[in-house]
Amino acid sequence: MLYLILHPLKRPAEKQADLLRATLTLHGIDYVECGIDTVPNGATIVTDCFVMETPCGDPGHDIAQAIIDQAAGQNNKIVFYYPSESYATLSASFCPTAEQLQVKNITGYLIKCGNWDIDGYAKNYNMPEFFAWIINNEFNRARLEYTYNQIDTTEKTHRFLFLNGEWRTNRERFFELFRSAGLLDASIWSHRSGKSADGFGPESDWSDPFVHPDFRFYAYYPSHYYQTEISIASETTQNEWFPTEKTYKSLMLGHPFVVYGGQHSLTKIRAMGFETFGDAIDETYDLAPYPQERADRLVESLRTANIPKPSRHNRQHFQKVANSAYGNLIKILQDIDNNVIIKENFEVDTTILNKYFLN
């Protein structure tokens, strides 16, 4: 039996809990969502709360603190479940959490997205499939197939898809370089300073694009992709490998893309088994060691780019990566707790499929 103690509020990554519930349910794993008072001695706790994770007043810190305090006296294992985008977004909460585990001699495990190790955890596990799973299962196959077909056959109205969200220093400079190069007029774009006519979807669907995380992370407008030739993923940070929904949506749809992110971002995407578009776009910008140099070289690459063909390989490989998340998570949990047993005679009925996988 696994004991899930999850954050009570909706957050941009709240669907991580749905991934956990759906995967456990799909394999017939026994679990219960509960408070800390009902967890028995020696049991394995799974939580998405961390010490010092959130601003003052958020319940996540107190929940994590209560779990750690009780686990110290009850010999509980704690699985910290946070398949988020990057080490950068997690370090502020992981480090103080890890310090407490060390001081209290608690066995802790971290399930995360990315390739970084955090000192203080007994084991670290990576789940790069998180965003793939989310996007793949939020929208049914018919909608994906429709978008694929439109991307492959529709005459393009714009060169670039260039959507920008929160302020980042290097991102702002890149946006100004892009604008100065005269490329904005050839784009479907958004920025806090303005947007193109097609920059966002209907107001009723996305009334405020800067505070509505569900759309940003989990949805896409087909026309944004089938009306454009190249997606520009201007990532959250240009100092590390930090793929977010901007990159994953392009991979899912087979839409040609460039990434303004950490050095070697394209190299790492290829290492994951995906294609990039060096036959039509000069990708040597990805090798530049400094963010400003990468921005300069990327703008020049976009200015001189040919028209790349959509990647059917990326669509197929994306599905393969997404579907592996279910089995990977179960293997991780079985490695941590040998009492996690798959019920081989468990039948997945239509209620489960509709709730988690066919919506």
Side-chain angles (χ1 to χ4, degrees):
M1 174 74 77
L2 295 172
Y3 293 82
L4 277 54
I5 304 178
L6 304 175
H7 199 289
L9 303 180
K10 288 188 175 183
R11 300 181 293 175
E14 70 168 300
K15 291 291 183 179
Q16 65 188 11
D18 278 346
L19 170 59
L20 177 62
R21 295 184 186 100
T23 305
L24 295 176
T25 301
L26 189 67
H27 290 84
I29 303 298
D30 288 330
Y31 73 92
V32 60
E33 293 190 45
C34 62
I36 187 62
D37 294 340
T38 61
V39 178
N41 288 355
T44 297
I45 300 169
V46 184
T47 185
D48 59 354
C49 297
F50 298 87
V51 174
M52 293 177 63
E53 173 193 12
T54 47
C56 183
D58 185 280
H61 170 86
D62 290 340
I63 293 171
Q65 191 65 66
I67 291 171
I68 291 173
D69 290 344
Q70 182 154 322
Q74 291 196 164
N75 197 32
N76 296 119
K77 297 178 181 178
I78 309 176
V79 179
F80 292 95
Y81 181 77
Y82 204 135
S84 186
E85 306 154 31
S86 166
Y87 173 90
T89 62
L90 309 179
S91 58
S93 56
F94 281 1
C95 290
T97 304
E99 288 173 0
Q100 289 210 28
L101 294 182
Q102 288 179 313
V103 170
K104 297 177 182 290
N105 196 29
I106 298 171
T107 302
Y109 302 84
L110 175 62
I111 298 177
K112 59 190 175 66
C113 178
N115 299 314
W116 303 273
D117 291 328
I118 310 295
D119 291 338
Y121 287 83
K123 283 189 178 180
N124 298 302
Y125 298 92
N126 296 320
M127 289 194 65
E129 301 91 344
F130 171 60
F131 274 102
W133 185 93
I134 291 295
I135 301 169
N136 185 38
N137 290 282
E138 280 291 301
F139 298 91
N140 59 38
R141 293 299 311 168
R143 189 169 190 265
L144 279 174
E145 291 294 339
Y146 166 79
T147 308
Y148 295 162
N149 181 66
Q150 292 292 95
I151 289 173
D152 292 344
T153 61
T154 299
E155 184 175 349
K156 309 309 177 196
T157 59
H158 297 79
R159 284 280 279 155
F160 307 110
L161 175 62
F162 188 31
L163 304 180
N164 292 271
E166 296 180 15
W167 183 92
R168 297 287 187 275
T169 301
N170 286 325
R171 181 187 287 169
E172 293 301 302
R173 181 178 181 277
F174 177 54
F175 180 82
E176 289 305 320
L177 286 172
F178 187 86
R179 189 211 301 265
S180 298
L183 301 179
L184 212 55
D185 290 341
S187 305
I188 294 177
W189 63 276
S190 67
H191 186 263
R192 289 179 316 287
S193 63
K195 67 182 181 68
S196 64
D198 299 319
F200 298 126
E203 293 296 319
S204 59
D205 289 345
W206 194 5
S207 57
D208 187 341
F210 302 115
V211 298
H212 194 310
D214 287 345
F215 182 88
R216 184 182 68 181
F217 280 101
Y218 309 134
Y220 64 93
Y221 283 102
S223 61
H224 282 174
Y225 292 88
Y226 65 68
Q227 290 179 350
T228 57
E229 297 171 358
I230 301 170
S231 293
I232 302 171
S234 184
E235 287 291 12
T236 303
T237 178
Q238 289 75 40
N239 298 314
E240 62 170 322
W241 170 230
F242 188 11
T244 69
E245 81 287 347
K246 304 172 192 64
T247 298
Y248 280 99
K249 289 176 186 179
S250 296
L251 295 174
M252 177 186 71
L253 296 170
H255 197 249
F257 64 91
V258 296
V259 178
Y260 180 46
Q263 185 187 25
H264 302 310
S265 288
L266 297 183
T267 301
K268 292 176 179 178
I269 289 171
R270 289 191 292 269
M272 293 170 64
F274 293 100
E275 294 178 339
T276 58
F277 299 87
D279 56 340
I281 305 168
D282 180 2
E283 295 183 336
T284 58
Y285 73 87
D286 189 49
L287 306 177
Y290 302 109
Q292 292 188 3
E293 182 185 357
R294 280 198 301 281
D296 292 339
R297 292 174 59 174
L298 175 52
V299 169
E300 181 61 21
S301 293
L302 294 171
R303 195 183 64 78
T304 60
N306 294 319
I307 302 176
K309 294 181 180 179
S311 173
R312 295 185 180 182
H313 167 81
N314 283 356
R315 295 167 185 166
Q316 295 169 351
H317 189 62
F318 186 96
Q319 298 300 323
K320 179 180 178 181
V321 171
N323 291 334
S324 70
Y326 315 130
N328 286 350
L329 179 56
I330 294 300
K331 290 177 182 178
I332 290 168
L333 293 173
Q334 288 179 315
D335 185 33
I336 293 171
D337 187 338
N338 57 19
N339 291 317
V340 175
I341 300 172
I342 296 175
K343 296 178 182 176
E344 295 184 357
N345 62 345
F346 180 75
E347 293 185 3
V348 179
D349 61 23
T350 55
T351 301
I352 293 171
L353 291 175
N354 283 321
K355 182 175 181 180
Y356 292 121
F357 301 104
L358 301 180
N359 58 344

